[in-house]
Amino acid sequence: MSPSEKVYNPSKEIVKRALIKSMDEYHKLYKEAEDDFEGFWDRLAKDKIDWIKPYHKVLDETSAPFYKWFVGGKLNVSTQCLDRHLDKRGDKTAILFEGEPGDKRAITYRELSNEVNKAANLLKNQFNIKKGDRVVIYMPMIPELPVAMLACARIGAIHSVVFGGFSADSLRDRIIDATAKLVITADGGHRRGQPNMLKPVVDEALKDSCESIENVLIVKRNKEKVNWVDGRDHWYHELINDESNVCEPEVMDSEDPLYLLYTSGSTGKPKGIQHSQAGYILWAQLTMEWVFDIQEDDIYWCSADIGWVTGHTYILYGPLAVGTTTVMYEGVPVHPDPGRWWKMIEDYKVNQFYTAPTAIRLLHKVGPDEPGKYDLSSLKILGTVGEPINPDAWIWYHENVGNKKCPIVDTWWQTETGGHMLSPLPGATPTKPGSATFPLPGIFPEIMDENGNKVSANEKGLLCIVKPWPSMLRTIWGDPDRYVSNYFSRAKKNGKPVYFTGDGSIYDEDGYIWITGRVDDVLNVSGHRIGTAEIESAIGHHPDVAEVAVVGKPDAIKGESIFAYVVLKTDHPKETLTAGIKEVVTKEIGPMARPENITYVPGLPKTRSGKIMRRLLRSVAKGETITQDISTLEDPTIVGKIQDSMKH
Ligand code: PRX
């Protein structure tokens, strides 16, 4: 990726409707936060949140980096997303759902509120779920998924949504780590025209060490036959209509946990990122207004899966907090053909469309002319998230989907940040394809070198956030030490530990920020974040594997693909072995973590202290000529041997 020459300015039409209309207005807001940090957040929190009881302090830093925001405030996030809209927007569509087979549902705010209240009562009355209990949700992209999440929020239970692509082993690990009481799932969903079964995965997960789970609540979706455990398993549709549609919202503290979402780090097992109530919902709402410029009659669509943070914040919480209409789609973009998404944009007259670079690249590849077959003139703003977008994909998106008139908001953020951090503002920021441009007001990033000094233009450094922000993660569930060591031990400013993102980046000469990718051992495969350590651990469980190292290899569609170097215990027929290794990974993590390439090598390049030189392995995977100094390796001849193995 290299900084592109061309700058794209917002069109007059967009500026006219935009909430923030110029860089001057952006700078003014940014400066407000700079000059009076707490005053800035105080103003917004008072303005945007319906408090049950006001907070008495904006920010408590006494136990930093365990920051507390809006201390003493009481609220309920489901009320913020539903009840407060009912007078004005009760009959407005909240969710426009489309299933992969083509079934449709339009759910109004009132209907959604009724369903959430009933589900909240169901969790309380039938399953004894109380404030603070953990509920694991493993569901397809159907409306009962947001209903389940909001029902948890209403009664103060902490939800932990597990992406439907994770295996039984991964699901079990998350259930155990969270000591969840209940699993909410479905028989299955629809994917690529096939039933995508989920209940059997839950059954498999619960076979072992999940004593905390008392019940499983199952939504009927694809009507496939499922196994049944009497006493433990319950159909949602058989119970829900016995419940009242009035459930008093639990009074929650600003800092009570709202949800956990597990994500990968560079070492060890996935970490349960813990988000709060007030700070999270405030930022979800504000970024919907600033970045997507949501206005009353807009139809908004984020194509992510709710199993990831993008879906949490930008399909559910953000859109409902601002009272917009959020589109939700169950399936894949290429079923039954590569025009599916463009047809949906035409059908629903979508105004804001938010997706991932990997999807843009895929749709460009399989159907470059497809967008032209549909009326996409309703589109006003396009968004991307999840990985750096290459300028080619950006330009195709801009020209063919946005018809050269829609600004593209390239939003940089993470599971940990809760919401957007760097992003253009559609009516203000001149964009450069491939750059997430500038921080949002209230967000203070700094690109630092290893010594904590701000880097100069065009010099690569570590992206850090030097002040706390309301929607930041609060801790890692059950592991506060790891929270500190993962995020607050690498960089300091004025002697104070600051948040380290794990990403490398540069400023260009105009101050635009360009993300260069992870600097830790975390891969980004089709926008899915996977730690190399997790994949290595899975592969290491194969009985024939002695040692393994996994690196990312650039991939034209997926961004990165998984490349595994495997040292075997014995010589073994390679064909069945490769399939067997992929199978272990599928079982332990899920199909998205399966290595694309497995190369059998006689050894791994290690320093004399035993550290694997991954940089070298990345270069070899790319087929680059090795220019690095390999004399410090324990066995410098190993590099040539590995390169030889790649030829076979
Ligand atoms: O490396 C960055 C990349 O995705 C990582 C966060 O992954 P995850 O927690 O799964 O959240 C993804 C959705 C918010 C980041 O550390 N990333 C995310 N957005 C961008 C990005 N890289 C470049 N440009 C982006 N817009």
Side-chain angles (χ1 to χ4, degrees):
M1 183 191 62
S2 65
S4 156
E5 297 296 309
K6 187 153 179 204
V7 172
Y8 293 74
N9 286 302
S11 68
K12 282 203 184 77
E13 193 194 330
I14 291 294
V15 175
K16 208 166 127 204
R17 61 162 266 157
L19 183 70
I20 300 172
K21 294 179 183 301
S22 64
M23 285 307 271
D24 280 351
E25 286 186 22
Y26 160 71
H27 288 308
K28 210 172 134 208
L29 261 179
Y30 200 84
K31 189 156 184 323
E32 182 193 343
E34 221 161 22
D35 291 348
D36 179 9
F37 188 64
E38 292 192 21
F40 171 83
W41 290 114
D42 189 30
R43 174 174 75 76
L44 293 166
K46 283 198 174 113
D47 186 28
K48 299 293 174 187
I49 293 188
D50 282 20
W51 295 98
I52 298 173
K53 181 177 163 240
Y55 49 86
H56 56 79
K57 192 170 174 39
V58 173
L59 172 64
D60 179 354
E61 303 194 65
T62 44
S63 329
F66 297 92
Y67 296 97
K68 293 191 178 74
W69 284 89
F70 312 118
V71 184
K74 306 283 178 196
L75 75 163
N76 184 285
V77 166
S78 78
T79 310
Q80 182 78 7
C81 291
L82 298 168
D83 308 42
R84 73 193 185 107
H85 298 311
L86 295 182
D87 278 349
K88 191 175 158 202
R89 306 188 176 104
D91 296 324
K92 176 173 174 173
T93 303
I95 297 179
L96 272 173
F97 166 74
E98 187 165 310
E100 201 188 68
D103 52 320
K104 295 178 183 166
R105 282 165 73 185
I107 303 166
T108 65
Y109 272 90
R110 196 174 326 280
E111 289 164 342
L112 184 62
S113 170
N114 285 337
E115 191 71 13
V116 167
N117 276 268
K118 286 201 258 177
N121 278 326
L122 178 62
L123 300 188
K124 258 198 335 202
N125 301 336
Q126 305 266 353
F127 302 119
N128 194 27
I129 302 295
K130 299 196 185 68
K131 178 175 175 176
D133 286 344
R134 274 80 59 209
V135 174
V136 163
I137 303 178
Y138 186 68
M139 284 181 80
M141 283 280 288
I142 54 174
E144 287 78 6
L145 168 55
V147 167
M149 294 162 78
L150 289 166
C152 289
R154 192 149 192 97
I155 62 173
I158 305 170
H159 62 70
S160 171
V161 180
V162 179
F163 172 60
F166 278 114
S167 68
D169 288 5
S170 291
L171 178 61
R172 181 187 306 120
D173 289 347
R174 286 155 174 76
I175 290 171
I176 295 173
D177 192 77
T179 50
K181 256 172 100 169
L182 174 72
V183 177
I184 308 180
T185 187
D187 42 6
H190 301 274
R191 234 181 135 67
R192 291 182 199 285
Q194 300 294 321
N196 176 34
M197 297 306 289
L198 296 176
K199 173 69 167 49
V201 184
V202 174
D203 290 335
E204 179 65 29
L206 296 185
K207 269 190 190 155
D208 194 16
S209 313
C210 289
E211 290 79 18
S212 61
I213 294 293
E214 295 165 1
N215 293 287
V216 178
L217 181 60
I218 303 136
V219 176
K220 190 170 257 184
R221 166 63 185 154
N222 67 11
K223 305 189 179 71
E224 297 290 323
K225 199 169 158 18
V226 290
N227 171 48
W228 204 254
V229 178
D230 282 332
R232 185 197 75 182
D233 294 352
H234 313 267
W235 283 117
Y236 179 83
H237 65 271
E238 287 179 356
L239 302 175
I240 189 74
N241 289 322
D242 295 340
E243 298 295 337
S244 138
N245 62 3
V246 180
C247 174
E248 276 307 306
E250 187 75 35
V251 176
M252 302 300 289
D253 191 89
S254 294
E255 283 295 304
D256 282 334
L258 175 65
Y259 68 80
L260 308 179
L261 189 55
Y262 284 81
T263 191
S264 296
S266 48
T267 52
K269 57 177 188 149
K271 36 194 183 180
I273 301 300
Q274 180 180 318
H275 279 292
S276 73
Q277 310 266 335
Y280 173 78
I281 200 68
L282 172 65
W283 194 234
Q285 186 170 334
L286 279 170
T287 49
M288 284 302 293
E289 293 173 1
W290 291 347
V291 176
F292 294 124
D293 197 45
I294 295 293
Q295 298 181 14
E296 192 56 47
D297 295 325
D298 285 348
I299 307 286
Y300 160 90
W301 182 16
C302 165
S303 75
D305 191 291
I306 291 186
W308 307 109
V309 74
T310 306
H312 280 58
T313 310
Y314 296 111
I315 296 179
L316 175 59
Y317 287 114
L320 297 184
V322 293
T324 195
T325 299
T326 177
V327 176
M328 185 177 174
Y329 170 58
E330 181 189 28
V332 298
V334 290
H335 185 82
D337 59 59
R340 180 69 184 261
W341 279 5
W342 316 132
K343 179 168 186 333
M344 285 180 60
I345 292 175
E346 176 180 280
D347 288 351
Y348 296 111
K349 300 194 171 34
V350 171
N351 302 117
Q352 291 90 353
F353 179 61
Y354 188 33
T355 192
T358 184
I360 298 168
R361 290 191 296 261
L362 173 73
L363 291 171
H364 179 193
K365 182 168 172 231
V366 299
D369 303 323
E370 287 294 317
K373 298 180 186 163
Y374 299 89
D375 177 5
L376 306 182
S377 61
S378 58
L379 286 171
K380 301 216 178 305
I381 293 164
L382 299 174
T384 77
V385 58
E387 55 180 307
I389 180 163
N390 46 313
D392 284 353
W394 195 102
I395 289 164
W396 181 78
Y397 194 36
H398 183 255
E399 293 183 352
N400 294 271
V401 181
N403 195 20
K404 300 187 182 166
K405 69 182 176 65
C406 301
I408 296 183
V409 289
D410 176 353
T411 61
W412 176 90
W413 60 295
Q414 308 178 294
T415 305
E416 291 87 344
T417 70
H420 302 153
M421 302 291 278
L422 311 177
S423 174
L425 296 173
T429 315
T431 51
K432 297 187 184 187
S435 167
T437 71
F438 305 112
L440 293 173
I443 304 300
F444 295 89
E446 196 166 303
I447 308 177
M448 295 180 170
D449 64 19
E450 287 288 352
N451 302 319
N453 301 312
K454 188 170 172 176
V455 297
S456 327
N458 296 320
E459 193 188 325
K460 195 169 155 181
L462 308 172
L463 180 63
C464 298
I465 314 290
V466 301
K467 285 188 186 191
W469 65 102
S471 68
M472 66 193 293
L473 77 165
R474 293 303 191 264
T475 188
I476 293 174
W477 179 257
D479 202 347
D481 293 344
R482 192 172 174 199
Y483 166 74
V484 177
S485 63
N486 259 220
Y487 303 109
F488 292 93
S489 63
R490 180 102 181 237
K492 280 191 177 152
K493 182 156 174 92
N494 304 329
K496 209 166 121 184
V498 296
Y499 176 82
F500 169 56
T501 64
D503 278 5
S505 50
I506 56 171
Y507 299 110
D508 71 13
E509 49 288 348
D510 301 321
Y512 281 66
I513 296 176
W514 297 75
I515 306 291
T516 53
R518 303 286 307 194
V519 295
D520 51 10
D521 293 318
V522 169
L523 305 183
N524 192 330
V525 182
S526 301
H528 298 158
R529 177 169 157 183
I530 311 169
T532 54
E534 282 167 58
I535 309 170
E536 287 168 3
S537 153
I539 295 177
H541 290 150
H542 189 285
D544 293 328
V545 171
E547 232 184 340
V548 53
V550 165
V551 296
K553 180 182 173 189
D555 182 279
I557 303 283
K558 297 177 175 177
E560 264 183 315
S561 70
I562 299 169
F563 197 110
Y565 294 90
V566 171
V567 184
L568 292 174
K569 285 181 186 157
T570 51
D571 211 5
H572 199 278
K574 302 280 192 295
E575 298 76 43
T576 54
L577 187 61
T578 299
I581 290 175
K582 289 187 179 181
E583 191 45 44
V584 176
V585 177
T586 307
K587 180 178 174 301
E588 294 200 14
I589 307 175
M592 72 272 191
R594 265 213 304 253
E596 192 107 323
N597 291 281
I598 298 178
T599 294
Y600 299 98
V601 290
L604 297 172
K606 289 183 186 166
T607 59
R608 288 197 187 98
S609 59
K611 198 171 163 324
I612 297 171
M613 296 269 289
R614 283 165 199 282
R615 210 152 41 92
L616 205 63
L617 290 173
R618 277 194 285 269
S619 299
V620 175
K622 282 196 249 175
E624 288 174 354
T625 320
I626 303 301
T627 52
Q628 300 154 37
D629 176 17
I630 55 171
S631 62
T632 56
L633 290 180
E634 193 185 29
D635 171 12
T637 67
I638 195 71
V639 179
K641 290 179 191 158
I642 292 174
Q643 285 171 321
D644 283 347
S645 319
M646 305 249 314
K647 292 180 192 140
H648 304 144

